[in-house]
Amino acid sequence: MQNPTDRDLMARITPIKVAIIGAGRGGTALLDLLHQISSIDIVGVTDRDLHAPGIQRARSLRIPIMDRTEELLINHGVNLIMDVTGDPAMGRFIHEHKRPETDVLSGSASRVLWELVQHEANLQAELFHAEKLAGLGSFAAGIAHDINNPLQLIMGLAENLADEKDLDRIYSQAQEIVEAVRRTSAICRDLTQYARKTSARDDTLVALNGRIDEALKIARHAAIFRKITVHKEYQEGVRVRGNPDELLHIFVNLITNAVHSMDDDGGTLTLTTQMSKSEVTVRITDTGCGIPPEMREKIFDPFFTTKAPGKGTGLGLYNVKNVITKMHGAIGVESRLDHGTTIMITFPPVPEAPS
């Protein structure tokens, strides 16, 4: 019997319908915060200034923009009104026009809420980065191997050049040295970009197939792929809206875990992407040892790990789940002992651009 996914559970929860009055700095901050929470439905935002930054942000997030405040208060089944205008007259207007059962959060209360959630978001970001840096320790052996090979080649070619008289051979060997240096530089560049602190840039459209391929390249430094066959079952043009740095990290984490589960016996790693009108799906399937049933509910808990002391932080899958939840996605696990595991991630579809 399969465990219910996050999406199944969320489908049973009636979303809280929120209206935001004011699209200045505070309104923009609330939009950025609340749109990430799948149990909240922002039914609209309004402001007298149609050029306010929150109005532009609402357009980019495809959140309705209302011309008339009273329409937003009355006609959309709003559960909570968040007034960030700082205008006492607006407070009186809201209380005159809102439905009796609708709650209001305004002024200092809205700012305190934002500060609290922003503080938690900063802590989550620090945990995410700390886990990423801790994980780089597992890359050491792979990095040493991948860099040592081109360095040995460079040394051998350089020694040959010291006595070489044939200009054609000198040119050929010099080209090989240049290519070896480029390979080494690429390894260092990839790892430096991966290790940097995740940028706080706005969500963008991300081509998933390319991001997974990049994660696969980085994961090869952390796990031995020698006896592992990789199958790619990609649908073309699969895209999601999210933070590219965070997506890269979650795929590195999941691919590395899958490869480690197959140990030295080898196996098959299958990477699948699919896109439909209703959702985008990613599957990472291994033929490894599988996950015991009693552990499947715990693997996404913070600090839970099956690795030996000093080998893992227990934050990897916890961070993976946080990123996916923030993207309004869901993650599920199917596993059989001694047969392997499939991690399935579903993301919301990317809305089609208006024609």
Side-chain angles (χ1 to χ4, degrees), residues 14-218:
T14 302
I16 301 170
K17 294 187 175 183
V18 175
I20 298 177
I21 314 295
R25 182 180 175 187
T28 305
L30 286 173
L31 284 168
D32 285 335
L33 163 66
L34 298 180
H35 94 276
Q36 301 177 21
I37 304 174
S38 56
S39 59
I40 291 178
D41 177 16
I42 305 177
V43 298
V45 60
T46 185
D47 196 288
R48 294 170 184 166
D49 180 7
L50 296 180
H51 300 288
I55 296 295
Q56 308 305 318
R57 183 67 176 137
R59 286 197 182 101
S60 70
L61 296 172
R62 292 178 172 80
I63 292 170
I65 299 165
M66 304 294 177
D67 294 329
R68 298 173 63 244
T69 302
E70 55 266 38
E71 178 189 353
L72 178 58
L73 300 181
I74 298 170
N75 296 333
H76 298 276
V78 174
N79 304 117
L80 176 64
I81 299 165
M82 304 192 77
D83 172 20
V84 286
T85 62
D87 182 359
M90 178 57 71
R92 292 191 294 271
F93 180 88
I94 290 171
H95 282 282
E96 289 172 4
H97 289 83
K98 77 178 185 70
R99 297 181 304 153
E101 65 271 22
T102 303
D103 295 322
V104 179
L105 195 65
S106 61
S108 298
S110 292
R111 289 197 295 272
V112 168
L113 172 64
W114 168 249
E115 291 294 338
L116 287 172
V117 177
Q118 187 62 35
H119 178 66
E120 182 180 357
N122 289 337
L123 290 176
Q124 292 283 358
E126 292 300 327
L127 280 176
F128 189 87
H129 188 58
E131 185 264 328
K132 183 190 292 186
L133 292 180
L136 284 175
S138 65
F139 290 20
I143 295 170
H145 177 270
D146 292 338
I147 290 181
N148 186 60
N149 284 345
L151 286 178
Q152 291 295 326
L153 175 63
I154 291 169
M155 180 179 292
L157 291 171
E159 289 173 348
N160 290 341
L161 285 176
D163 300 319
E164 186 59 65
K165 305 298 182 183
D166 187 320
L167 290 179
D168 289 337
R169 287 182 60 82
I170 290 174
Y171 176 79
S172 175
Q173 292 178 12
Q175 287 296 106
E176 290 186 58
I177 290 174
V178 169
E179 289 302 316
V181 170
R182 285 176 177 165
R183 290 198 299 274
T184 306
S185 297
I187 293 169
C188 295
R189 183 179 63 250
D190 290 342
L191 291 170
T192 299
Q193 291 176 347
Y194 176 71
R196 71 186 179 187
K197 200 161 189 175
T198 300
S199 68
R201 56 183 155 175
D202 291 339
D203 291 348
T204 60
L205 286 179
V206 181
L208 270 189
N209 297 347
R211 215 58 180 159
I212 295 173
D213 281 343
E214 189 173 350
L216 185 63
K217 181 171 61 174
I218 293 173

Side-chain angles (χ1 to χ4, degrees), residues 55 65 71 77 137 159 193 220 247 269 296 301 308 316 350:
I55 296 295
I65 299 165
E71 178 189 353
E159 289 173 348
Q193 291 176 347
R220 288 181 182 275
L247 283 167
L269 173 69
R296 288 175 205 162
D301 292 346
V350 176

